[in-house]
Amino acid sequence: METLKGKTAVVTGSSRSIGRGIAERLAARGALVAVHYATNATAAQDVVEAIGKAGGRAFAFGTELGHEGDAERFWAEFDVQRRAFSDDGDTGVDILVNNAAVALRDHFQDATVADFDRMVAVNIRAPFFIVQHALDRLRDGGRVINISSAVTRLGLPEVIAYGATKGALDSFSRILAKELGSRGITVNVVAPGYVDTDSNADWLRHDKDAWEETAAKSVFGRVGEPEDIGDAVAFLASDAGRWITGQHIDASGGTRM
């Protein structure tokens, strides 16, 4: 299964939940994984240690996204920690997964400028400039995989601003696929649906009725797991995904089909 051996992957927001699932799957397939976190260094180190115990290779680096100059700081810190991990001097990247996001629940009439601006800054501005600042280090034949959301097609009023930022990410990804195609770099979107994550714990894990109702929205009758998304990303990151680009991959388990 070491289909990514010799590759370096960067996964934003991978200290927990879906990001962790992606990081662990990429590492299991042989990639060296850079586990990015915003503020929780301990959680990121837990991921690194779990990957190591499973026979993989990973290191952590931290940068809080959503602020002026975040992309520059992101890659500067990546370089520091990559060189600390190995003195081979290689700071190139083969796989870049933009997973970090802020999902604030605001109905249209209650949405605030502060919430809107925060989600725009993290969910679309940060990925845009992280990729831009990675152009010189992203190797030809590489992969950019942006994590969107099924909310862009479900039309949920309580996440209208969040959905708008993910819709922007979808559009950015399609255009970026044309921009980078001449270098053999694929750009795709993976859109999860309802997934059992830390952020959903309060209303999902501890409420049997909510769990059963959510599970019923998928044609498989279950709630998604971070590993489900990790496997979809790992496929696109592998050589098997070389002829797929500019696509929106629904990874929602057939939610509300």
Side-chain angles (χ1 to χ4, degrees):
M1 292 297 290
E2 291 189 345
T3 57
L4 301 176
K5 191 172 183 178
K7 306 292 186 181
T8 297
V10 178
V11 185
T12 70
S14 49
S15 64
R16 63 188 182 96
S17 302
I18 289 175
R20 176 171 183 159
I22 293 170
E24 291 181 341
R25 280 303 196 257
L26 295 178
R29 284 156 178 76
L32 166 63
V33 179
V35 177
H36 164 261
Y37 65 93
T39 58
N40 195 337
T42 301
Q45 192 57 40
D46 286 345
V47 179
V48 170
E49 291 175 4
I51 288 172
K53 289 178 181 178
R57 300 165 67 233
F59 64 92
F61 74 106
T63 311
E64 190 168 1
L65 303 179
H67 303 285
E68 191 72 25
D70 54 2
E72 294 93 330
R73 290 191 297 274
F74 178 93
W75 288 117
E77 184 61 19
F78 167 83
D79 287 344
V80 169
Q81 298 305 324
R82 175 64 179 87
R83 292 183 178 121
F85 178 81
S86 172
D87 60 3
D88 58 14
D90 183 7
T91 57
V93 172
D94 302 283
I95 302 158
L96 173 58
V97 183
N98 286 301
N99 165 75
V102 173
L104 303 176
R105 300 172 71 86
D106 288 328
H107 284 275
F108 181 62
Q109 64 270 24
D110 301 319
T112 67
V113 172
D115 283 357
F116 185 90
D117 286 351
R118 175 66 177 155
M119 284 185 278
V120 167
V122 176
N123 300 358
I124 180 61
R125 191 181 74 190
F128 186 103
F129 288 104
I130 284 173
V131 176
Q132 184 194 72
H133 285 276
L135 291 178
D136 290 341
R137 70 176 72 233
L138 190 61
R139 296 187 179 99
D140 291 355
R143 304 283 188 266
V144 177
I145 302 166
N146 296 322
I147 306 303
S148 181
S149 172
V151 302
T152 60
R153 69 174 176 81
L154 295 178
L156 303 178
E158 65 270 22
V159 288
I160 184 170
Y162 172 72
T165 64
K166 289 301 187 178
L169 186 67
D170 293 352
S171 180
F172 165 61
S173 302
R174 286 192 297 272
I175 299 168
L176 187 64
K178 297 183 73 172
E179 180 75 15
L180 300 184
S182 63
R183 293 179 53 193
I185 298 170
T186 68
V187 183
N188 291 289
V189 166
V190 172
Y194 295 99
V195 179
D196 181 17
T197 65
D198 295 341
S199 60
N200 292 335
D202 289 344
W203 68 273
L204 188 57
R205 290 181 189 170
H206 307 305
D207 186 328
K208 181 180 178 181
D209 291 340
W211 183 275
E212 292 178 350
E213 180 182 344
T214 301
K217 293 176 181 178
S218 162
V219 298
F220 300 120
R222 69 173 178 87
V223 177
E225 298 290 341
E227 293 78 9
D228 296 322
I229 313 307
D231 281 333
V233 170
F235 168 76
L236 291 172
S238 73
D239 187 61
R242 64 191 178 278
W243 201 237
I244 301 171
T245 195
Q247 299 305 303
H248 182 281
I249 308 300
D250 185 293
S252 71
T255 296
R256 291 186 177 175
M257 285 180 60

